[in-house]
Amino acid sequence: MKKFFLAIVVLTSLSCNQNQKKEAPSNDIIMSEPDGGIGDGAVSPAVAFAQDIEQAHNKEQWNTQRAVSFNIDLSFGGKKQLKGKITSLTNSSRIRIDQEDGTILVYDGEGVYLCPKDADSNRARFNMFTWQYFFALPFKLTDPGTNWEIMEPSVIDKDTFYRGKLTFDDTIGDAPDDWYVVYQEANSRLLHAAAYIVTFGSNKEKAEKNPHAIVYRDYKVIDGIPVATKWTFHNWSMDEGIQDQIGEASISDIIFFNAKSELFDRPENSKSIEK
């Protein structure tokens, strides 16, 4: 997943104090597609598709907010995968996850850290960036290093959804070979779904044999910003599209706030997560 990318009010921990880090600047917007634009500084139809989704989600208002936090309750195949609170700066340059079991994950802009040191690090880096990215996706579609191409619309239960394919430059995130097929609702213009592959810890050829999709549901407007409060995960294929459900997540207690920098400092009694 992207970084993800390819996730609060400060939750206290007896063993997890923090040290202050320098904050990263906001990203500039880069608008591109694999075959380039259409000349004279005009925005290509593919980039216009991505911009239209961002506009429908009120990205301008999103960018005025410093940070956002939300609770997540995530399960796949009936098994709990993650429950806790995710906080990030809205530009995704800092992320923190406070899990229900007391473990803390922090991305301070340079490295990923897990507290306490003896906590299970399996999929820690994946969790660090993936779920925050899914939450922030409608506002990151024209981030630096994003590339777009238009696809044929899709009809689902007689409803038409516009589609575009998102790929990334080689230098972007932990898994630049990831790609997304993004679905836009025709009437609301909001993000409906995103099919994706997961190349983190794998390779593109293998990942493309097992693509999935996230569907965004039950939108609520928080401080003028439409945010999905339910996600469902599905099997997906280029021919069949969105198929049977395999997982779900509930998103609650969404709060925009002015986070203090030290919230994202590396905790004491933590270990670095490289992979």
Side-chain angles (χ1 to χ4, degrees):
M1 295 300 168
K2 296 280 86 55
K3 194 180 312 180
F4 265 158
F5 235 19
L6 0 299
I8 272 180
V9 294
V10 178
L11 300 180
T12 58
S13 170
L14 294 177
S15 60
C16 298
N17 297 318
Q18 293 116 4
N19 302 311
Q20 189 170 2
K21 295 285 185 181
K22 185 178 179 182
E23 203 158 324
S26 299
N27 289 329
D28 295 326
I29 293 176
I30 291 182
M31 300 174 294
S32 62
E33 59 179 334
D35 295 327
I38 58 177
D40 299 325
V43 174
S44 69
V47 171
F49 164 80
Q51 288 181 324
D52 193 53
I53 297 175
E54 291 181 330
Q55 184 180 29
H57 282 266
N58 202 355
K59 181 178 179 177
E60 183 177 0
Q61 176 66 13
W62 168 274
N63 286 341
T64 68
Q65 304 288 344
R66 174 169 166 78
V68 61
S69 70
F70 59 93
N71 290 341
I72 184 169
D73 190 348
L74 172 72
S75 61
F76 279 88
K79 295 182 179 180
K80 193 74 66 181
Q81 298 294 318
L82 177 67
K83 188 172 184 179
K85 179 166 285 191
I86 298 178
T87 293
S88 73
L89 299 186
T90 53
N91 66 7
S92 301
S93 64
R94 304 286 192 279
I95 308 169
R96 174 176 172 137
I97 303 177
D98 291 83
Q99 300 186 67
E100 187 181 48
D101 63 5
T103 61
I104 296 175
L105 273 168
V106 171
Y107 170 59
D108 68 353
E110 297 178 3
V112 174
Y113 306 101
L114 176 64
C115 173
K117 289 181 178 179
D118 59 357
D120 183 6
S121 61
N122 183 41
R123 295 174 68 84
R125 193 174 179 97
F126 176 84
N127 287 334
M128 179 87 269
F129 296 117
T130 302
W131 316 117
Q132 185 276 340
Y133 185 74
F134 280 155
F135 181 85
L137 182 59
F139 315 99
K140 297 183 66 62
L141 300 179
T142 57
D143 272 6
T146 55
N147 307 295
W148 283 93
E149 59 182 288
I150 289 293
M151 300 178 65
E152 289 293 324
S154 176
V155 177
I156 304 173
D157 295 330
K158 299 182 180 180
D159 292 326
T160 298
F161 297 90
Y162 304 125
R163 297 192 303 167
K165 186 173 183 180
L166 169 63
T167 57
F168 303 89
D169 289 348
D170 292 342
T171 58
I172 302 300
D174 281 358
D177 286 335
D178 284 0
W179 52 252
Y180 291 79
V181 173
V182 173
Y183 292 67
Q184 181 190 30
E185 295 180 359
N187 293 327
S188 69
R189 299 164 43 233
L190 295 173
L191 178 65
H192 171 69
Y196 61 91
I197 60 170
V198 179
T199 60
F200 182 79
S202 180
N203 60 65
K204 186 176 180 180
E205 182 179 1
K206 183 178 180 180
E208 287 183 329
K209 295 178 180 178
N210 191 34
H212 297 106
I214 176 174
V215 178
Y216 293 88
R217 306 179 186 272
D218 297 348
Y219 273 98
K220 293 183 179 180
V221 178
I222 309 295
D223 293 343
I225 301 168
V227 181
T229 60
K230 183 178 180 180
W231 304 342
T232 55
F233 295 88
H234 303 257
N235 288 318
W236 181 90
S237 74
M238 191 67 74
D239 293 332
E240 301 294 330
I242 299 169
Q243 302 171 54
D244 53 304
Q245 183 176 327
I246 58 174
E248 62 182 1
S250 61
I251 307 298
S252 61
D253 295 333
I254 303 163
I255 300 171
F256 292 97
F257 70 109
N258 187 21
K260 294 182 179 179
S261 297
E262 54 265 28
L263 177 62
F264 304 100
D265 290 345
R266 177 178 180 170
E268 294 182 357
N269 189 31
S270 66
K271 59 184 175 183
S272 178
I273 304 296
E274 303 294 336
K275 296 181 179 179

